[in-house]
Amino acid sequence: MGIKLFSSKKFKTFIWILTVIVSLVSFLEIIIKFKILKGLLSLLKWTINLKIPDFIFIIIILALLIWLFLINRKLKELSQVYKGEPQVDIKEEVEKIKLDKKREYVLLFFADAPGEEKLEDLYDFYKGEFGEESIGRLEFNIIINDLEKAELIRLTGTLRSGKFYVKTSKGLDVVKEIL
């Protein structure tokens, strides 16, 4: 049997302590060389001599910085969540809203429109197409809400004269499938 120099616990402890001492000495040398120690002592002296309003102001600034840090971290977490969402198939979305004859008519109306369409004008065309068999305004509003939830149309604005909607690219893709 031979002597195992590097396997003894005392030798490992000695090397660890020696490493810590060398690190501390080199750290102190850097602090002294760059006069960081004087700066730290002057900062400590300055904080001891603070008056109450100055101290409160610094606490408010620190609280704002911490709040900004936490908000930034929360936003990063949220962006990770949104990046990780699976893409939804258009057909699945359309199947959820049960694209019937009336919904297809409204969607095709938006597809043919060059831009924004006033909801009242669309309702007049809808009444002309489906007449009395339709339940009326309530059914029409449900259709519009369904198409908006499925992101096939989008509300662009409201004025005193009514709401304005526009087709979306997703809506155009569904129209291509219909035709």
Side-chain angles (χ1 to χ4, degrees):
M1 258 184 150
I3 299 175
K4 294 184 178 180
L5 182 65
F6 296 111
S7 64
S8 72
K9 194 171 186 177
K10 290 181 182 178
F11 183 74
K12 288 180 182 178
T13 307
F14 172 74
I15 294 295
W16 186 81
I17 291 173
L18 186 64
T19 305
V20 169
I21 290 172
V22 169
S23 298
L24 285 174
V25 169
S26 63
F27 180 72
L28 288 174
E29 183 181 347
I30 291 171
I31 287 177
I32 292 170
K33 185 177 180 181
F34 292 109
K35 299 179 183 177
I36 296 174
L37 190 59
K38 271 188 178 179
L40 290 174
L41 289 175
S42 66
L43 182 63
L44 181 64
K45 186 177 177 183
W46 178 74
T47 52
I48 290 172
N49 292 331
L50 280 177
K51 296 177 182 156
I52 298 294
D54 296 335
F55 186 70
I56 292 173
F57 180 71
I58 289 175
I59 288 176
I60 290 172
I61 296 287
L62 287 174
L64 283 172
L65 288 174
I66 291 170
W67 179 74
L68 285 173
F69 173 75
L70 293 175
I71 289 291
N72 188 27
R73 197 170 79 195
K74 187 68 172 178
L75 289 175
K76 284 181 182 177
E77 289 172 7
L78 287 175
S79 69
Q80 296 284 333
V81 169
Y82 287 124
K83 286 180 185 175
E85 282 185 2
Q87 296 297 323
V88 178
D89 189 22
I90 293 172
K91 289 181 181 177
E92 290 176 14
E93 283 293 319
V94 172
E95 287 172 5
K96 284 182 188 176
I97 63 167
K98 298 177 185 169
L99 203 58
D100 60 355
K101 181 179 166 187
K102 294 176 182 179
R103 286 175 176 76
E104 283 181 6
Y105 176 80
V106 172
L107 198 55
L108 288 169
F109 179 86
F110 279 110
D112 287 339
E116 294 180 343
E117 286 299 319
K118 187 175 173 185
L119 197 58
E120 291 300 319
D121 295 341
L122 174 58
Y123 181 62
D124 291 338
F125 284 110
Y126 179 80
K127 278 192 320 189
E129 179 72 21
F130 296 106
E132 296 301 320
E133 77 179 55
S134 141
I135 295 174
R137 186 64 183 206
L138 177 63
E139 181 184 37
F140 178 74
N141 287 339
I142 291 171
I143 291 171
I144 294 296
N145 286 338
D146 288 346
L147 295 175
E148 192 175 2
K149 273 185 200 174
E151 297 175 356
L152 303 177
I153 61 173
R154 180 175 46 91
L155 178 68
T156 58
T158 51
L159 294 174
R160 183 175 282 178
S161 61
K163 294 180 178 182
F164 290 86
Y165 284 86
V166 69
K167 61 189 167 268
T168 64
S169 59
K170 194 174 180 181
L172 286 175
D173 290 341
V174 171
V175 168
K176 287 178 190 174
E177 289 178 17
I178 292 171
L179 299 176

